[in-house]
Amino acid sequence: MITKDGRFAYEAAGDPDATPLIFLHGIGGAARAWRQQLARFSTQFRAIAWDMPGYGKSAPLASVSIAALADALQQFIEQLGATTPILVGHSIGGMIVQKWLAQSPKPARAIVLAQTSPAFGKADGDWQKSFIAARLGPLDRGETMKSLAPSLVKELVGDDPDPKGMELARECMASVPETSYRAMMLALMGFDQRGTLKDISVPTLLLSGSKDNNAPAPMMAKTATFIPSSEYVELAGVGHLANLERPDAFDEALGRFLNSVATKT
């Protein structure tokens, strides 16, 4: 589906009048990476997954930054008429959610920060430099997203990932436009919302994987201590792509949180 303004492509399932539950994918993802979750949660919610700007049929941004992506998220929400949504952000999607909340606290019913971080750090940091070089270097040397997809996905996942989920992860990664992948990687530079964690006032689930090297579980557990109404769940043996690696475990953790939010409200 495409929004009325023609800017955003998305997939959706469930009653249009139900509470909106919006899923935001990571740098190597796509709306379709959330299809199991859309099916699972469409009985209770209007379950929606966007193609991030520059992905799928969503229009690219003129200039890519986390702040610009957060503005785009607000415009997407307005296009859908999705008042007081619950937002589930994975990886860079979780950074966009944090920025969206900070830019001018919008009404969200609850948020889920899945395998993400409150900061990436400065462009001159050694870890940041090597992270970017490891991902963009092969493209500079003539590889393509399609040729890199199997190795990129393999290094992201933990123990015994679901074969169908891995097939979908590789397919999503292979179809990311190289220009969008590069722009999103560079947009991570300097991202830092650590100072605004204390201002997050809605129920928040932080969901980590014990084998995630990109958003390590101990860092996410620490992040949870700064958010007033948060809970922290760690999925054992899971890497960075929880909803595709262990979809049932991911859905169970998300479902428990969503039920607790429904009870509170």
Side-chain angles (χ1 to χ4, degrees):
M1 287 182 262
I2 305 279
T3 51
K4 290 187 285 289
D5 63 0
R7 287 182 57 201
F8 302 101
Y10 66 100
E11 297 193 6
D15 180 351
D17 296 324
T19 299
L21 174 64
I22 301 176
F23 293 91
L24 296 96
H25 63 80
I27 286 180
R32 65 183 180 278
W34 297 107
R35 278 179 184 164
Q36 170 156 327
Q37 286 72 40
L38 296 186
R40 164 81 183 261
F41 294 103
S42 62
T43 53
Q44 289 169 278
F45 299 93
R46 173 65 165 162
I48 300 157
W50 79 344
D51 275 319
M52 192 159 49
Y55 285 63
K57 290 192 167 67
S58 289
L61 297 174
S63 175
V64 179
S65 65
I66 305 288
L69 288 161
D71 283 340
L73 172 60
Q74 178 58 22
Q75 289 149 17
F76 176 67
I77 289 168
E78 287 169 3
Q79 283 288 310
L80 296 179
T83 48
T84 340
I86 298 169
L87 297 170
V88 180
H90 170 253
S91 200
I92 200 175
M95 295 177 172
I96 295 167
V97 169
Q98 292 172 68
K99 190 61 138 177
W100 176 82
L101 281 174
Q103 284 188 178
S104 57
K106 318 284 191 316
R109 191 160 301 195
I111 63 167
V112 178
L113 302 176
Q115 307 184 283
T116 188
S117 167
F120 185 79
K122 301 290 177 269
D124 56 1
D126 289 341
W127 184 86
Q128 288 80 1
K129 274 190 199 160
S130 61
F131 180 91
I132 298 292
R135 280 149 184 80
L136 299 188
L139 292 171
D140 295 338
R141 295 190 291 274
E143 295 273 6
T144 63
M145 290 305 296
K146 190 173 181 181
S147 70
L148 288 172
S151 60
L152 285 173
V153 169
K154 190 177 181 189
E155 72 180 39
L156 288 173
V157 301
D159 305 331
D160 305 317
D162 176 72
K164 279 189 180 160
M166 291 305 87
E167 195 178 323
L168 181 51
R170 288 188 293 270
E171 185 193 308
C172 290
M173 185 75 79
S175 68
V176 177
E178 184 183 323
T179 50
S180 297
Y181 186 80
R182 287 178 177 275
M184 295 297 165
M185 279 289 170
L186 297 174
L188 297 173
M189 291 298 188
F191 174 75
D192 192 345
Q193 290 300 136
R194 286 174 295 190
T196 59
L197 294 174
K198 66 184 185 309
D199 303 323
I200 296 176
S201 58
V202 298
T204 302
L205 171 65
L206 289 98
L207 190 57
S208 76
S210 70
K211 295 286 183 82
D212 187 348
N213 297 320
N214 284 357
M219 176 276 295
M220 289 205 69
K222 184 180 178 185
T223 301
T225 67
F226 294 98
I227 300 175
S229 51
S230 71
E231 70 178 89
Y232 171 74
V233 174
E234 185 175 315
L235 301 176
V238 175
H240 191 60
L241 305 178
N243 69 298
L244 293 169
E245 290 180 56
R246 302 277 182 87
D248 294 341
F250 181 92
D251 291 356
E252 189 185 336
L254 177 57
R256 272 200 310 270
F257 173 72
L258 294 174
N259 288 338
S260 77
V261 169
T263 310
K264 283 171 193 160
T265 52

